Amino acid sequence: MNKRTHRGSDLRAFLEEEGILVEVETRALKQAVSIQLKRLLKEKELTKAEMAVRMKTSRAAVDRLLDASNPSVTLTTLGKAARALGRKVKIELVPT
């Protein structure tokens, strides 16, 4: 007997059927990174301007990095941000 108590597919299957799974996962990942960076800025009591100086970039670039709706973040920029906050980037490829 099937243990599922609801009918239909799960969210992942639905998003895949709609052809937007990759886009949704990408946005969620960017949002998670943005939240982590904002938390670290607050924890270290750094302003965006101070972060820009540490990253050797502009304040506008820091704003783009912290903007959860802006998906265009390079690994180079992410690496600079991590180093500026005393961290490193860890990327892992996992099975789908």
Side-chain angles (χ1 to χ4, degrees):
M1 188 166 144
N2 189 348
K3 292 183 179 184
R4 292 178 80 171
T5 58
H6 65 280
R7 302 176 88 184
S9 63
D10 62 7
L11 180 60
R12 178 179 274 284
F14 171 75
L15 295 173
E16 194 165 13
E17 287 171 15
E18 294 295 312
I20 59 172
L21 177 62
V22 172
E23 179 184 341
V24 170
E25 286 180 335
T26 300
R27 282 184 167 201
L29 180 59
K30 173 55 170 111
Q31 201 162 30
V33 168
S34 176
I35 289 168
Q36 284 183 16
L37 290 171
K38 287 176 184 176
R39 181 182 51 79
L40 286 167
L41 275 173
K42 187 174 182 178
E43 188 179 289
K44 296 196 177 281
E45 298 178 349
L46 283 175
T47 65
K48 291 177 187 178
E50 292 168 330
M51 178 72 167
V53 169
R54 286 184 177 197
M55 290 176 62
K56 296 181 173 86
T57 192
S58 68
R59 162 92 192 270
V62 173
D63 283 334
R64 285 190 300 274
L65 179 64
L66 297 175
D67 180 359
S69 67
N70 184 345
S72 60
V73 174
T74 66
L75 291 176
T76 301
T77 302
L78 193 53
K80 284 181 181 181
R83 283 188 297 281
L85 294 166
R87 301 293 175 122
K88 67 179 184 175
V89 176
K90 178 182 176 184
I91 297 175
E92 183 178 4
L93 299 176
V94 296
T96 57

